[in-house]
Amino acid sequence: MRGLKGAVGAVGLTLLLAGCGGDASEPESELLGKDTGIRYDKSRVPTVQNMACDRKRGSIRYGLNVHKDDSLPEHEGKDDSEDYVCHGPDRISLAVEGRTVAVPHIAAEYDLYGAVPDPLKTVRTVYSESLAEDDERTLVGEAETVTTKTAAITCQQNVWETFPMTTCLWANHGAVGAVDFFPPAGQHPEIAEAVARTKELIATGLVESPH
């Protein structure tokens, strides 16, 4: 993912956090399971509650530039990388370099691979080679990592320019992705809520290959 970041009013904050499940304190973690063999033909427009999502269009690059993990087997299909954006009903407008730019609530990237043998290791590698080394981002607090039965997710609050972001990197056994959450009410989105949204994006944004 690439380039800009954002802020919105209290209504946007309520919409961003509504319907995610759990509280806003500590994300819950499960034991990461073994590779089930599921792989993906392509990504697709994800479904996120209370938001409208679409394929990213236009020349403006939103979000974090994720470094590829060259150690992973390549995906054989043509559609191996795609970006999407999700908007709540109230758009976020940012003053960036002397102009006002409308940005999404969420910017998400999907990168497909032939296999990701160790999703947790991959997330740590991508984090260290992208977010941790991004000189345009100032990290805030500590990164938090959770695992589900099928994926590993690492989220980190950070600041780009003056805009507080929350960024999540994720990997399962067939794909790797990144999600930038733009700042409703000028505040960092809560990590637990960002984790919940990331789970939605993983679950709804990938098309499985037929067995």
Side-chain angles (χ1 to χ4, degrees), residues 169-183:
L169 307 173
W170 62 266
N172 61 21
H173 285 100
V176 179
V179 189
D180 259 336
F181 296 91
F182 293 74

Side-chain angles (χ1 to χ4, degrees), residues 57-111:
R57 296 182 173 88
S59 59
I60 295 175
R61 306 300 292 180
Y62 298 115
L64 177 71
N65 266 323
V66 176
H67 293 248
K68 303 288 186 179
D69 189 337
D70 294 330
S71 69
L72 299 177
E74 292 185 2
H75 181 255
E76 295 181 359
K78 293 181 180 179
D79 181 17
D80 62 354
S81 183
E82 192 68 74
D83 295 351
Y84 301 90
V85 291
C86 301
H87 295 90
D90 297 307
R91 294 296 179 97
I92 301 173
S93 295
L94 299 180
V96 180
E97 297 179 352
R99 61 188 180 126
T100 300
V101 180
V103 299
H105 288 72
I106 298 174
E109 178 183 286
Y110 297 80
D111 294 307

Side-chain angles (χ1 to χ4, degrees), residues 17 46 81-82 107 152-153 168 173 206:
L17 301 185
S81 183
E82 192 68 74
I153 303 168
C168 293
H173 285 100
L206 294 167

Side-chain angles (χ1 to χ4, degrees), residues 9-154:
V11 173
L13 175 62
T14 301
L15 288 167
L16 181 66
L17 301 185
C20 292
D23 60 28
S25 54
E26 295 294 333
E28 294 184 1
S29 196
E30 303 174 81
L31 183 65
L32 181 62
K34 295 181 179 180
D35 188 354
T36 61
I38 293 174
R39 300 294 182 265
Y40 307 99
D41 276 343
K42 59 184 179 180
S43 60
R44 63 184 172 195
V45 177
T47 301
V48 179
Q49 190 172 353
N50 297 321
M51 291 192 181
C53 301
D54 201 355
R55 182 171 276 103
K56 185 198 68 59
R57 296 182 173 88
S59 59
I60 295 175
R61 306 300 292 180
Y62 298 115
L64 177 71
N65 266 323
V66 176
H67 293 248
K68 303 288 186 179
D69 189 337
D70 294 330
S71 69
L72 299 177
E74 292 185 2
H75 181 255
E76 295 181 359
K78 293 181 180 179
D79 181 17
D80 62 354
S81 183
E82 192 68 74
D83 295 351
Y84 301 90
V85 291
C86 301
H87 295 90
D90 297 307
R91 294 296 179 97
I92 301 173
S93 295
L94 299 180
V96 180
E97 297 179 352
R99 61 188 180 126
T100 300
V101 180
V103 299
H105 288 72
I106 298 174
E109 178 183 286
Y110 297 80
D111 294 307
L112 308 185
Y113 290 94
V116 182
D118 188 339
L120 185 56
K121 178 181 178 182
T122 293
V123 161
R124 288 170 175 162
T125 297
V126 173
Y127 174 86
S128 65
E129 293 181 357
S130 57
L131 188 57
E133 294 186 358
D134 189 341
D135 57 11
E136 294 185 353
R137 305 269 185 138
T138 300
L139 304 187
V140 177
E142 299 293 328
E144 293 192 36
T145 299
V146 300
T147 54
T148 71
K149 293 179 180 178
T150 58
I153 303 168
T154 292

